[in-house]
């Protein structure tokens, strides 16, 4: 079924935010059954518009709390969070099992008030552009882990928000699929530039994908080091400059 | 298959006991008497099965619709939930055998008191299982919906309600079974037809075989309804089975 598209299919979605993300000495404490837990203490970071910022840190250092603050799902106890509207991509894909892949990707436009067909029309061109053509009608349980994360990422893009908060998006995948997905994400972000805050515990993932890497301390989390990744894209994981940066980031993590 | 064998063995034991155990056939008719009553009185039984079946189906539909609405309301409002939950449980302790005749005098001999009683016994399983299913939606999923720009109502519509449908079906399957008892009790309290009426009347006339035939029909109807519901669930919610397998 060939048909001529009136607008070029490669055209990006045009999402701009003037602020990027600015987190200024934020503290966040939760009171639980075992007393108070301080997740973040004096955490600061900044991501310029269309910058890809990776945040690495040990487990439980408050990385997820940080993303929820940026997304406006929580408020800081002290400090400031200023950010353009942000959308969350959690570690688990959380695709709705009764919806097709296309309808899952089109979830945001659908809940924002578009008709089913109009929402699908938004998602369809992205399927072709990002390697999901032919999987539109598949149900989530028919897709591989990597495919599910692709659909989840398209759902995140289609929310139409300038900031993407990715919470260890590939942590649940096997090593090979993870590398494949990192290259895929790099390509997707080159085609659809966004301000990205990528939380990960994988230092290699951070240096391969990000413009800048922020290293966090164990709980209570705060930024202890910041590394600029100036290597040009597309990047190769074996690039000596990237390997050196990995070493630096690992050293910063251990020192924290 | 195994169920059929067990039923067959039970019928065999019953037949032997009724024929050789020295029990009066008016007290315990052998299965072949029940079977011949099923055949000989088929017109009469069929008419009454239709009456009871109609009450049951309509009562379950009323309970499902009202149960879904109430479960959604209670899910949205914790205050309402706290206020209504105890009342809901209290409603299940009402001894229907005692209340049914009062309801009949109050609401009349027609369909209304039967629907009320069937609805009353079906309502609780429907509300509780739907409410549980609504509450079991992942907290992270709800956060995700907020950042995708979904309002509370849209999240309810697109995420929580579909997630609760398997729960609604579980409730409906329990309701099918309890609704039979409700319908029979309602009919025995005051009615001129229906299988409950048949049982009361036949027992009074010492036509025990016919009473047992009515009971057999009731059980068969419940089993068929249950199976239909399970098939409907598989057809309407194919994703629910694979999701359950995965977890």
């Amino acid at each position: 079924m060939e048909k001529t598209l009136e607008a070029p299919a490669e055209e990006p979605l045009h999402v701009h935010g003037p602020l990027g993300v600015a987190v200024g000495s934020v503290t966040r404490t939760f009171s639980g059954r075992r007393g108070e837990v301080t997740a973040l203490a004096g955490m600061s970071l900044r991501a310029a518009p269309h910058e890809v910022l990776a945040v690495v840190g040990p487990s439980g250092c408050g990385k997820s709390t940080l993303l929820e603050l940026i997304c406006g799902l929580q408020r800081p106890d002290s400090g400031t969070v200023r950010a353009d509207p942000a959308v969350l991509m959690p570690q688990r894909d959380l695709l709705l099992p009764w919806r097709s892949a296309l309808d899952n990707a089109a979830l945001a436009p659908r809940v924002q008030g578009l008709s089913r067909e109009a929402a699908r029309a938004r998602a369809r061109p992205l399927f072709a552009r990002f390697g999901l053509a032919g999987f539109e009608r598949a149900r989530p349980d028919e897709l591989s882990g990597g495919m599910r994360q692709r659909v989840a990422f398209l759902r995140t893009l289609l929310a139409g928000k300038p900031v993407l908060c990715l919470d260890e998006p590939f942590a649940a995948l096997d090593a090979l699929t993870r590398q494949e997905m990192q290259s895929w994400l790099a390509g997707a972000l080159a085609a659809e530039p966004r301000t990205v805050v990528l939380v990960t515990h994988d230092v290699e993932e951070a240096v391969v994908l990000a413009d800048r890497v922020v290293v966090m301390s164990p709980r209570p989390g705060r930024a202890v080091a910041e590394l600029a990744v100036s290597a040009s894209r597309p990047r190769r994981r074996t690039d000596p400059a990237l390997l050196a940066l990995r070493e630096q980031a690992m050293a910063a993590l251990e020192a924290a | 298959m195994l169920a059929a064998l067990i039923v067959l063995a039970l019928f065999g034991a019953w037949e032997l006991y009724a024929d050789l155990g020295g029990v009066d056939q008016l007290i315990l008719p052998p299965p072949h008497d029940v079977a011949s009553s099923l055949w000989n009185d088929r017109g009469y039984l069929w008419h009454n099965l239709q009456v009871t079946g109609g009450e049951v189906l309509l009562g379950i539909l009323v309970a499902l619709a009202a149960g879904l609405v109430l479960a959604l309301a209670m899910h949205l409002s914790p205050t309402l939930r706290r206020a209504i939950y105890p009342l809901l449980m209290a409603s299940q302790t009402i001894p229907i055998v005692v209340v049914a005749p009062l309801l009949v005098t109050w609401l009349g001999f027609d369909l209304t008191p039967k629907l009320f009683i069937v609805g009353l016994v079906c309502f609780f399983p429907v509300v509780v299982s739907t409410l549980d299913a609504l509450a079991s939606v992942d907290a992270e999923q709800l956060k995700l919906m907020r950042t995708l720009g979904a309002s509370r109502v849209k999240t309810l519509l697109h995420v929580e309600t579909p997630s609760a449908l398997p729960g609604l079906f579980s409730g409906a399957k329990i309701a099918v079974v309890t609704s039979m008892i409700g319908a029979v009790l309602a009919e025995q309290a005051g009615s001129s037809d229906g299988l409950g009426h048949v049982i009361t009347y036949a027992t009074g006339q010492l036509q025990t075989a016919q009473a047992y035939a009515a009971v057999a029909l009731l059980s068969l109807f419940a089993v068929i309804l249950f199976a239909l519901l399970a098939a409907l669930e598989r057809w309407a919610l194919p994703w629910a089975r694979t999701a359950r397998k995965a977890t």
Side-chain angles (χ1 to χ4, degrees):
Chain A
M1 201 179 71
E2 285 290 321
K3 67 177 178 185
T4 339
L5 292 170
E6 294 189 3
E10 299 296 314
E11 192 180 358
L13 298 175
H14 293 300
V15 183
H16 291 294
L19 289 175
V21 175
V23 175
S25 39
V26 158
T27 300
R28 183 80 178 103
T29 303
F30 299 95
S31 38
R33 247 179 301 171
R34 289 190 218 154
E36 299 213 316
V37 176
T38 303
L40 296 170
M43 175 68 199
S44 300
L45 62 77
R46 166 123 193 80
H50 288 187
E51 187 179 26
V52 179
L53 183 76
V55 178
V56 294
S59 306
C61 72
K63 290 175 292 190
S64 298
T65 305
L66 176 70
L67 291 189
E68 290 193 3
L69 285 164
I70 295 170
C71 289
L73 293 169
Q74 297 185 24
R75 304 215 166 282
D77 298 322
S78 68
T80 55
V81 176
R82 291 176 60 231
D84 294 317
V87 57
L88 187 68
M89 177 177 174
Q91 182 181 336
R92 287 179 300 141
D93 55 69
L94 297 176
L95 299 179
L96 301 173
W98 55 88
R99 283 176 168 255
S100 67
L102 189 67
D103 284 339
N104 263 294
L107 186 58
R110 184 80 178 99
V111 296
Q112 288 167 13
L114 256 60
S115 73
R116 185 190 304 238
E117 275 316 310
R120 283 178 180 168
R122 292 264 180 98
R124 212 171 266 123
L126 292 181
F127 268 61
R129 276 170 67 196
F130 295 120
L132 282 166
F135 289 94
E136 287 86 349
R137 295 165 69 96
R139 289 197 185 282
D141 59 295
E142 297 165 339
L143 297 173
S144 67
M147 287 296 198
R148 292 171 66 108
Q149 286 309 101
R150 287 181 202 214
V151 175
F153 181 76
L154 293 193
R155 177 188 61 199
T156 316
L157 270 188
L158 283 162
K161 300 199 173 174
V163 178
L164 311 184
C165 289
L166 312 184
D167 191 356
E168 307 197 11
F170 309 135
L173 302 175
D174 63 85
L176 261 168
T177 313
R178 194 180 321 150
Q179 291 198 2
E180 192 187 310
M181 284 303 295
Q182 286 161 0
S183 312
W184 179 86
L185 181 63
L189 286 174
E192 286 289 337
R194 295 286 195 285
T195 310
V196 176
V197 180
L198 167 73
V199 153
T200 176
H201 55 236
D202 181 347
V203 174
E204 181 185 271
E205 181 167 291
V207 297
V208 165
L209 288 173
D211 299 312
R212 234 155 15 96
V213 179
V214 168
V215 179
M216 282 178 75
S217 68
R219 204 164 61 204
R222 65 193 168 81
V224 289
E226 199 178 297
L227 308 166
V229 188
S230 49
S232 62
R233 292 186 169 93
R235 292 173 179 167
R236 286 182 312 115
R237 319 171 180 268
T238 47
D239 183 338
L242 288 189
L243 291 176
L245 275 168
R246 272 175 71 180
E247 293 301 320
Q248 275 185 46
M250 292 299 283
L253 263 177
E254 275 161 33
Chain B
M1 187 61 210
L2 189 62
L5 281 177
I6 292 173
V7 168
L8 218 59
L10 281 175
F11 276 144
W14 177 4
E15 182 77 53
L16 281 175
Y17 180 68
D19 289 342
L20 309 169
V23 196
D24 194 317
Q25 297 217 340
L26 287 179
I27 294 169
L28 185 69
H32 70 261
D33 275 3
V34 176
S36 52
S37 168
L38 270 175
W39 178 251
N40 295 331
D41 307 330
R42 59 187 180 277
Y44 173 65
L45 288 171
W46 173 241
H47 163 74
N48 287 291
L49 175 65
Q50 282 174 309
V51 173
T52 307
E55 292 163 8
V56 162
L57 286 178
L58 212 56
I60 291 177
L61 281 181
V62 168
L64 279 179
L68 182 62
V69 170
L70 188 69
L72 285 173
M74 286 168 76
H75 178 66
L76 282 180
S77 160
T79 317
L80 196 66
R81 184 189 173 113
R82 274 195 300 276
I84 292 196
Y85 222 117
L87 292 179
L88 210 57
M89 281 192 283
S91 78
Q92 290 307 293
T93 61
I94 297 174
I96 298 205
V97 192
V98 181
V99 178
L102 300 176
L103 279 173
V104 169
T105 12
W106 179 26
L107 297 171
F109 280 77
D110 58 355
L111 194 59
T112 324
K114 281 114 196 169
L115 282 189
F116 189 87
I117 291 169
V118 172
L120 186 70
V121 296
C122 294
F123 195 55
F124 187 71
V126 170
V127 173
V128 171
S129 56
T130 308
L131 202 55
D132 278 353
L134 280 171
S136 69
V137 172
D138 206 306
E140 219 179 335
Q141 181 91 55
L142 299 180
K143 285 179 188 168
L144 172 70
M145 294 311 291
R146 276 170 64 192
T147 72
L148 290 180
S151 63
R152 188 71 194 87
V153 173
K154 291 283 186 184
T155 304
L156 192 69
L157 204 64
H158 288 280
V159 177
E160 288 161 292
T161 307
S163 309
L165 287 180
L168 189 69
F169 266 100
S170 306
K173 283 194 245 175
I174 302 171
V176 161
V177 181
T178 54
S179 66
M180 300 288 167
I181 303 168
V184 166
L185 285 177
E187 285 168 357
Q188 289 187 324
S191 180
S192 50
D193 45 14
L195 288 175
H197 168 75
V198 170
I199 294 170
T200 317
Y201 191 73
T203 314
Q205 302 288 308
L206 293 181
Q207 292 182 306
T208 355
Q210 195 181 59
Y212 274 91
V215 172
L217 272 183
L218 272 175
S219 310
L220 193 66
F221 183 57
V223 169
I224 290 173
L225 211 55
F226 190 93
L228 281 178
L229 212 55
L232 181 68
E233 184 181 10
R234 275 197 300 278
W235 175 78
L237 313 174
W239 52 269
R241 289 171 77 212
T242 40
R244 217 171 293 152
K245 240 185 291 168
T247 45

